[in-house]
Structures are given as C-alpha cells and as structure tokens.
Amino acid sequence: MLSNIQTDKKETLHWGKKTNRVIQKIKLFALCGILLSGMLLSGCAIDQSPKRYETVFLDVFDTVTTVILYDTDENSANARFDELHALLLEYHQLFDIYHAYDGMNNLYTVNQNAGIAPVSVDARILDLIEYAKEMDTLTNGRMNIAMGGVLALWQSYRDAGLDDPDNAALPPMEELEAANAHANIDSIIVDRTAGTLYVSDPEMQIDVGAIAKGYAAEQAVAAMKADGVSEMLLSVGGNVCSIGTRLDGTGWKVGIQDPYSDGTMCAVQVAGQSVVTSGTYERYYTVNGVRYHHIIDPATLMPSTYYDSVTVVSENSALADALTTGLFCMPYEEASALVESLSGVEALWVLPDGSQRQSSGFSAYLAE
Ligand code: ADP
Ligand code: MG
C-alpha cells in the first residue's frame, strides 16, 4: 500500500475526559464560527494554494520509489500518486525477469520460452526491447541485455557469497565464457506484426536490469505530463526524473552519492531532466578481501574497473539509465567522446583513484 506523507501535517487532538470533550467541542464550534464569519466578511475562500505532497512506494522494481508533487488538494494529490503507482506496477510486472503473473506474458515468460516459441507480449515490452537494442548499438555492445546468462552466474555467486562470506568465490571463467557464447543481441527477435518476442537461442536469457527502471520511469513521467502534471520529482531507486521546477521556480536539487561514504559528493539542480548514477557501491560482494560489484564488462566478463561511479544527466531517463551502465564499461576517452557526441547529455565520472571527470556542460547543472 501507499504511505502518503503530507508535509503540512494536520495535528490530531486527543481529549481526556468526556466533559472536557464537550467543552472543547463547544469552544471549537465557536472558534470555527468566528473564523468562518471572518472569512466570509473579508471575502476569503478556502486556501487554494498548492501544497507539497510526498509518497513512497515499496513494491515496484525491488527498490524504494519516492515521489514529490504539488497540488491544491490532498485527494487529487493522492489520485495522482495512485495513477503513478498503478503505472509503475504494470511496468514492473511486464519487465520482471524473475516472476510470472496471472493473465500476463512478461519477460519471465519470454525467457522461459527461449528456443521454444515466440511469445505474444504487450507492445510496451516490444518498445523496451527495441530501445535496449538501440542502446546496445549506441554503447557499442557495452550495455547488452542479451548477457543474462553471464549476469545470472555473477548474481548466484554474489548471493552465495553474501550468505556465506567465508566461502565466497568467483564464478569460474570457463562458466562465464560458456554463458557468454549465448549473448548475441540478434537472437532477441521482435516481431511487431505478430506482436511477439522470441529468444531464438535456447541458452540465452534476457536481463533488463540496466535499463528497465529508467525506461519505466520515463514512460510514467510522460503519462503524468500528459495528464497535466507540471511539477514532479520521481526517484525509482535513485533513478531520478524531474518535471518542471519546484514551486518557487528553482530547479530540483538531486544529491549524487559519494562512492566512498554514505554522504553525497555533490548535488545537481534540474528542471525537466533526469539524473541517474551507477556505482560500484550499489551491489557487491567480497572475495578474499576484494570487492566485486554488479556491472559486468562484456569484454572481460568481470566487474568493470574503469570507474567507481558514473552519473548521467539527460532529458530522457531511459537513455540516462542505459548510458550509465554502458559508459561504466568504456575507457574514459571513448566514454567522453560518446557523451560529447550526444546533445543534451552530460556526465560525471569518478575514477578508481577518486578523481573526477566532467563532460563539457556538466558544471551548468552543479548546485551550490
Ligand atoms: P542499478 O540498477 O543497480 O542502479 P545499473 O543501471 O547500472 O544499476 O544496472 C545494473 C544491472 O544491469 C545489473 O544488476 C545487471 O542486472 C545488469 N548489467 C550489469 N552489467 C551489464 C551490462 N554490461 N550490460 C547490460 N546489463 C548489465
Ligand atoms: Mg543503468
């Protein structure tokens, strides 16, 4: 369920004894009467100024989602939250690679049918997969959703290592290479006419972890805009999207995690852009004192070693999400050239020595 937090909290009054309650009620009625007549006399209506509302969803994309928006009325703010929640939940279920849902073919169903049969799917799944293929091309294969076999190996060794740290081990390279023999993006076949998705290689698995949250957030934000929302901040597990500005006209401030502490290393100010960060600190386990994180370089099949975090600012949250993962697996010269070639995209890299690099227009977003 939603837990809506209205920032202008109304106080709850608790009266002790019954007599007290009666006296207080009379006082309250009298006070209301005075206020109401005062308002009528002065021609004032009920406060119609927008207020800030905030909510948290805990059941989408296995992460914490927070939303801030402005509304004149609590009920209509809650209706917006409900609409957004329903949308994100649909995307979560469609893009889920781990679970099946009643009455729905999702990416789990598609993976289960690898090498068996094309699966009829919702057009939103086909849209995601086509976009992911474009991102694969843009990042020169660094962000590859066909790498599910390799990623599943890392995930199972990571889970086992977290459960039993003393026996934590790395996935054997022969197993990684065997899985990587089944990671060709062309084996993922979109048939728009038939409305189907087919994984033609029986040994292949799709993994959309690098892109699904950003893509879903982008679609949800577009729907909210179409529905008349002009200011909103949405964070799906740190994948942050903004619509418009804050009430006072200033941009939304988004803190960027310091990869080496629990704090932030800087903040950016955005008005309509998304901010997405991928970092080595997000998901990792330790083997013989060395940390192994969750972003796997397709060239080495090992956790990428170029950066400790990559942040992308872009109007498109799906692009930002795909790029953070793709850029993470590229040497700096190549990553920088790619970002500079894209209009409206800025990036901040933290290298393993702790030093930072910014794309040419990134500083314009930096907040004091
Ligand atoms: P997060 O979702 O943790 O914020 P990312 O957007 O960088 O971070 O996505 C990481 C996830 O993407 C991994 O957990 C894994 O499922 C998947 N992944 C890791 N490396 C790659 C890669 N090179 N290409 C495609 N997907 C990847
Ligand atoms: Mg990503």
Side-chain angles (χ1 to χ4, degrees):
M1 260 314 287
L2 314 186
S3 57
N4 295 344
I5 309 148
Q6 189 198 337
T7 43
D8 320 51
K9 284 194 190 78
K10 292 185 186 74
E11 276 186 85
T12 316
L13 304 174
H14 300 285
W15 309 116
K17 290 177 187 154
K18 206 177 174 185
T19 43
N20 250 355
R21 216 180 295 156
V22 175
I23 294 163
Q24 296 292 355
K25 266 190 182 167
I26 293 165
K27 281 187 183 167
L28 200 65
F29 276 126
L31 184 66
C32 286
I34 293 163
L35 284 176
L36 194 66
S37 49
M39 269 163 49
L40 289 174
L41 283 175
S42 64
C44 279
I46 295 158
D47 182 11
Q48 285 292 320
S49 60
K51 291 179 237 13
R52 181 183 188 273
Y53 293 91
E54 188 171 336
T55 194
V56 179
F57 311 140
L58 297 174
D59 55 358
V60 288
F61 292 100
D62 305 318
T63 187
V64 179
T65 295
T66 55
V67 196
I68 297 169
L69 54 72
Y70 302 109
D71 212 306
T72 51
D73 170 75
E74 185 172 359
N75 290 333
S76 83
N78 282 336
R80 301 267 197 220
F81 289 146
D82 287 347
E83 180 193 347
L84 181 62
H85 181 241
L87 268 170
L88 289 172
L89 206 54
E90 275 180 49
Y91 281 107
H92 163 81
Q93 295 186 349
L94 289 170
F95 299 167
D96 194 337
I97 61 170
Y98 303 108
H99 307 98
Y101 298 91
D102 281 347
M104 170 194 282
N105 286 336
N106 65 0
L107 284 179
Y108 175 80
T109 329
V110 173
N111 275 341
Q112 290 293 102
N113 281 282
I116 301 170
V119 178
S120 295
V121 290
D122 189 291
R124 287 170 289 182
I125 293 184
L126 300 181
D127 295 342
L128 167 76
I129 299 299
E130 282 190 334
Y131 192 74
K133 283 181 169 232
E134 278 176 40
M135 292 299 106
D136 188 290
T137 307
L138 184 73
T139 62
N140 206 9
R142 267 38 173 266
M143 198 291 301
N144 176 12
I145 62 161
M147 260 197 350
V150 171
L151 297 170
L153 267 176
W154 273 105
Q155 188 175 331
S156 74
Y157 276 79
R158 184 170 65 240
D159 288 348
L162 290 170
D163 275 353
D164 181 6
D166 291 341
N167 292 307
L170 295 177
M173 187 46 77
E174 313 83 73
E175 283 187 40
L176 290 168
E177 280 170 354
N180 196 44
H182 305 278
N184 185 344
I185 190 85
D186 295 330
S187 300
I188 303 176
I189 298 159
V190 172
D191 185 336
R192 282 279 176 184
T193 318
T196 58
L197 182 60
Y198 183 41
V199 178
S200 62
D201 179 342
E203 304 290 317
M204 179 187 287
Q205 296 286 284
I206 294 176
D207 183 323
V208 290
I211 188 171
K213 273 186 301 181
Y215 186 89
E218 179 69 20
Q219 304 308 311
V221 158
M224 297 307 281
K225 277 195 208 165
D227 209 24
V229 173
S230 51
E231 295 100 6
M232 190 177 86
L233 192 70
L234 165 70
S235 165
V236 184
N239 194 114
V240 181
C241 302
S242 67
I243 304 178
T245 63
R246 291 186 287 190
L247 256 196
D248 63 4
T250 60
W252 301 95
K253 254 190 187 177
V254 180
I256 297 175
Q257 171 83 43
D258 177 350
Y260 310 113
S261 79
D262 286 341
T264 55
M265 64 178 174
C266 63
V268 290
Q269 207 148 10
V270 287
Q273 293 82 12
S274 287
V275 186
V276 182
T277 301
S278 281
T280 53
Y281 53 84
E282 282 170 4
R283 243 176 297 161
Y284 62 87
Y285 73 128
T286 306
V287 182
N288 297 328
V290 181
R291 268 163 64 154
Y292 294 88
H293 65 82
H294 70 310
I295 301 171
I296 306 303
D297 185 342
T300 61
L301 308 182
M302 297 294 286
S304 172
T305 52
Y306 295 116
Y307 313 101
D308 279 332
S309 87
V310 177
T311 298
V312 170
V313 179
S314 157
E315 295 222 328
N316 183 333
S317 161
L319 175 67
D321 195 6
L323 273 180
T324 54
T325 313
L327 295 173
F328 216 100
C329 300
M330 279 179 206
Y332 177 67
E333 289 68 30
E334 187 184 348
S336 166
L338 175 56
V339 171
E340 297 301 338
S341 76
L342 300 169
S343 76
V345 175
E346 300 297 340
L348 169 67
W349 295 264
V350 178
L351 276 61
D353 66 3
S355 66
Q356 297 181 13
R357 304 282 185 280
Q358 291 176 11
S359 61
S360 55
F362 188 85
S363 63
Y365 288 110
L366 280 173
E368 282 94 59

